[in-house]
Amino acid sequence: MRHGARAQCAITVTALAAALAVGLGLWATSAWGSDRYGPADTGVVKVSNEPRASQGEEPLSFNPLNPRQLSTVANVFIPNVPAPLDKFFGSGGVQDSRVYSSQDGGRHWLTLKLDQGGIGALQTPLPPLAGFAPEFSDAFNILNTDSDSTWDRHGNAYFESGDIHGIHHNGNETATVWRSTDGGVSWGPPGGYAAVNATQEHNELDRPWLAIDNSGGPHDGRLYVTFETTPFANEPPQVYVKHSDDHGQSWSPTVRVDDGIYETQYNARARPIVGPDGTLYVVYDRAPATVTPFTPQVGTIQLALARSTDGGETFQRLEVDGDVHRVSSPDEATPNYTEMIPAIAADPGRPGRVAVAWPQATSADSSRVLVRYSTDGGLHWSDRIDAADDPAAKVNQHDHVTLAWYGDGRLFVGWRDRRCCGGSFTDNYQQWVRVLSPDPSGALVPGRTLQFSDGPERPGTSGRGSLQPDEFQGLVATSAGVGLTWSRFNGSLDDLMFRSVPLSAFEAPASGASGVRGGCIDTRRFVFHLHGLPGQRVVRAVSYVNGRPGRTLRGRRLRRLVLRALPQGLFRVRIVTYTNRGNRVISVRRYRGCAKTPPWTHVVHARRR
């Protein structure tokens, strides 16, 4: 949670909470453009509907059981607090957070305010803090900030928000987590669960992120929260993780993700993801740190990846790229930071495939969107891929990079740039998404680029983006479409925007692409024969590939189980069958994928275990 100083006042915020809370309401959205990419294109949808507030920082997630159920979040800045509450705050206004959910693929959204942070009444407003952006200009302006959401494979949604001296947590600075079991319509418990507590950590907190294990393995359903030391306190920068195995009710001891002293960058920009085999990855910035966070850092950055294969207990640190240069972006919390916010994604169908992207400064006036990916869990990395499709020689600033990996092997990259309108940060910009598709060798090759905005969009009136910082966006790739969230300047404040485009608008993976449909498809057929169990029949069969759930069959469809698009290399198939008399039969086999042989049939000799 970012702020200029720790608030020291008592909590007397009943009236404040009532005035600032946003009630439950289903907002009718407005489409800002035509269906350019077919009837499944939602057009540009306005998610938020708060005329006095400005939204920014909007990661996006979806329900694996129903990809039409989505959730996004935002920091919400209210620059002009209505009387009489304006007497309690300085010129910085009030910072808050929201969670938004959709049941229909993003065409309509529900807005909820769950957190009730508070800082108490001030007798006199404090003077603005010199050098800070408007939303941080008063030392006591922040209530809640830095949110995220994620879903597990059972349909549970999680929302995280940080509060400062919140009324539910005895005045502690806390990262709080709520859970929804009905697709994001309602969340509980009231007040949430305290995931990270600044008093217990013995330091200030910054930028929590959520990640979930959906592997079906030993840590399936484990909820992770990463966080870091605040860039506003003079203490060595570090990155941490905790986990919960009971839907956020209780949390493990804190584990450090990075290593060394003054080796991690202040404002490390750490972000987690979990691969399909349960491996936890955390990308973060390494740079020789000065002994104070307020000294400008202008040197080269090493982009690091920490990897844990034991559920976040221990980490191996790897290098993604050692020659990263910051973009001179105004979208940062203080003038001493410039843009270097990476994105990370894991292939949901192939363990070890992880990608990292970032905005790379190529000159004082230009930057590009670079991507590197690994097929072995970060031990080795591809060459840099320039994901942007505009001419590299033309002056153009690219930023706000985000990634999403689809199950057929395609990687989607989102960003914004100013190719339309001059190329500098003060010029209008557009929102773009490009697909990187695997070729027959498995290498990712840049493909079609689509504009998700419906034309150039104005930057904010201040250098920071209209009073509310907007340092990253959200992107998902599902069978329902490729969805992007971003913040758009409308009138005098920012609104949260969304668009989903059908997968068919992007080209499919190339014919012959390894490990994806249409290419090297390893297919295994399993016929059910129960030996030694006379008079019984199979009523249900559940398959797992490398611990990840595959197909489930019931009734008449149990004659044959077919698994397609299986991984390359060695993989394990486990089939659990259930008979009409309550017996459970397990068969486990190991195979080597994409062999130069046609698909074949394997008879499962089921025995009681």
Side-chain angles (χ1 to χ4, degrees):
M1 285 136 266
R2 293 165 296 189
H3 48 89
R6 181 181 291 185
Q8 301 294 328
C9 1
I11 305 163
T12 55
V13 293
T14 302
L16 176 62
L20 296 181
V22 173
L24 182 67
L26 185 62
W27 303 112
T29 57
S30 57
W32 292 61
S34 60
D35 289 342
R36 296 175 53 196
Y37 306 119
D41 185 346
T42 64
V44 179
V45 175
K46 183 180 175 183
V47 175
S48 57
N49 191 8
E50 300 172 76
R52 293 191 301 272
S54 187
Q55 290 80 24
E57 301 190 0
E58 53 282 337
L60 178 67
S61 60
F62 71 96
N63 183 358
L65 293 181
N66 180 2
R68 291 179 60 79
Q69 292 182 337
L70 302 162
S71 62
T72 186
V73 302
N75 290 344
V76 179
F77 181 59
I78 304 173
N80 300 308
V81 181
L85 300 175
D86 58 331
K87 305 300 182 184
F88 301 152
F89 297 91
S91 59
V94 174
Q95 180 82 36
D96 214 333
S97 64
R98 304 283 188 274
V99 59
Y100 311 85
S101 62
S102 174
Q103 306 294 309
D104 60 0
R107 296 181 183 273
H108 301 84
W109 293 85
L110 184 72
T111 302
L112 281 170
K113 181 186 185 303
L114 301 179
D115 42 22
Q116 294 293 338
I119 56 180
L122 304 181
Q123 296 299 317
T124 57
L126 297 181
L129 299 177
F132 281 76
E135 80 285 359
F136 298 109
S137 64
D138 189 305
F140 295 95
N141 74 323
I142 299 179
L143 297 179
N144 313 96
T145 186
D146 289 356
S147 301
D148 195 17
S149 68
T150 191
W151 299 69
D152 68 23
R153 66 186 184 92
H154 306 288
N156 293 295
Y158 298 92
F159 166 64
E160 174 278 322
S161 178
D163 63 48
I164 297 177
H165 300 277
I167 61 176
H168 290 292
H169 303 299
N170 300 317
N172 287 317
E173 179 185 354
T174 307
T176 308
V177 173
W178 290 261
R179 178 168 69 119
S180 173
T181 60
D182 57 7
V185 175
S186 60
W187 301 77
Y193 299 114
V196 185
N197 184 301
T199 301
Q200 295 175 356
E201 302 299 330
H202 304 293
N203 56 37
E204 298 275 358
L205 311 177
D206 190 56
R207 215 343 149 176
W209 285 104
L210 295 177
I212 194 78
D213 187 328
N214 284 327
S215 67
H219 301 301
D220 182 69
R222 176 166 288 185
L223 180 64
Y224 295 96
V225 58
T226 59
F227 59 100
E228 56 197 61
T229 50
T230 178
F232 301 108
N234 192 8
E235 55 188 351
Q238 297 180 357
V239 181
Y240 307 102
V241 67
K242 302 178 72 139
H243 68 259
S244 172
D245 292 323
D246 55 8
H247 305 295
Q249 297 182 53
S250 60
W251 292 83
S252 70
T254 300
V255 174
R256 188 172 174 192
V257 173
D258 62 332
D259 60 350
I261 301 176
Y262 289 107
E263 294 183 9
T264 299
Q265 177 186 293
Y266 279 108
N267 216 357
R269 301 302 190 179
R271 191 161 186 178
I273 194 74
V274 180
D277 58 351
T279 299
L280 172 65
Y281 302 95
V282 183
V283 65
Y284 65 96
D285 299 343
R286 285 175 59 95
T290 59
V291 295
T292 171
F294 299 103
T295 301
Q297 299 179 35
V298 295
T300 301
I301 295 172
Q302 178 195 39
L303 198 54
L305 183 78
R307 181 180 73 172
S308 175
T309 58
D310 58 6
E313 298 294 338
T314 60
F315 285 88
Q316 178 185 13
R317 288 92 184 177
L318 307 164
E319 180 181 293
V320 179
D321 199 290
D323 189 30
V324 176
H325 296 269
R326 296 175 177 87
V327 177
S328 299
S329 167
D331 281 321
E332 293 293 329
T334 77
N336 291 334
Y337 299 119
T338 49
E339 180 100 10
M340 217 317 286
I341 303 175
I344 187 170
D347 187 331
R350 295 159 188 84
R353 291 175 67 86
V354 60
V356 173
W358 70 96
Q360 172 85 354
T362 54
S363 69
D365 302 317
S366 288
S367 59
R368 305 295 294 177
V369 173
L370 299 186
V371 179
R372 300 188 79 173
Y373 65 91
S374 172
T375 61
D376 57 9
L379 297 176
H380 303 88
W381 292 88
S382 70
D383 292 336
R384 291 173 167 183
I385 300 174
D386 189 342
D389 63 332
D390 58 310
K394 182 180 178 180
V395 173
N396 189 4
Q397 297 281 11
H398 303 71
D399 63 356
H400 288 33
V401 184
T402 186
L403 291 174
W405 216 321
Y406 187 55
D408 66 0
R410 285 180 288 180
L411 179 66
F412 294 86
V413 188
W415 73 91
R416 68 181 192 181
D417 69 46
R418 291 87 175 159
R419 68 182 69 181
C420 63
C421 309
S424 72
F425 277 110
T426 58
D427 292 322
N428 291 355
Y429 50 75
Q430 298 160 290
Q431 307 287 342
W432 304 94
V433 175
R434 191 174 197 182
V435 62
L436 306 183
S437 294
D439 68 8
S441 71
L444 293 177
V445 179
R448 188 179 185 190
T449 304
L450 300 182
Q451 182 183 176
F452 272 56
S453 53
D454 52 5
E457 300 180 349
R458 295 185 299 130
T461 53
S462 71
R464 294 293 320 289
S466 70
L467 306 177
Q468 170 60 56
D470 180 46
E471 299 170 348
F472 40 78
Q473 303 177 155
L475 185 68
V476 297
T478 77
S479 58
V482 179
L484 180 73
T485 47
W486 71 94
S487 182
R488 176 152 85 177
F489 188 52
N490 295 318
S492 60
L493 296 171
D494 290 308
D495 288 315
L496 178 57
M497 315 303 293
F498 169 85
R499 186 174 191 174
S500 179
V501 168
L503 283 167
S504 58
F506 297 92
E507 64 265 30
S511 176
S514 179
V516 296
R517 295 184 185 277
C520 173
I521 302 176
D522 191 311
T523 301
R524 306 282 165 165
R525 297 187 178 98
F526 301 86
V527 179
F528 295 93
H529 291 282
L530 290 182
H531 290 186
L533 296 175
Q536 298 189 38
R537 67 179 187 278
V538 178
V539 296
R540 181 165 61 98
V542 183
S543 64
Y544 300 85
V545 179
N546 286 338
R548 185 178 178 85
R551 298 187 65 192
T552 297
L553 299 181
R554 292 180 174 85
R556 295 180 179 179
R557 303 183 66 183
L558 276 166
R559 299 173 184 173
R560 184 175 63 182
L561 170 66
V562 181
L563 300 178
R564 293 187 174 91
L566 293 165
Q568 297 183 68
L570 290 175
F571 62 91
R572 186 180 69 168
V573 174
R574 179 164 62 100
I575 299 175
V576 182
T577 57
Y578 300 86
T579 75
N580 60 322
R581 294 187 181 178
N583 285 310
R584 185 180 67 168
V585 181
I586 301 175
S587 179
V588 179
R589 297 288 187 273
R590 292 185 181 274
Y591 302 101
R592 182 175 296 277
C594 287
K596 295 181 179 180
T597 57
W600 51 279
T601 299
H602 179 78
V603 178
V604 178
H605 295 278
R607 292 180 176 87
R608 190 194 308 261
R609 291 194 177 185

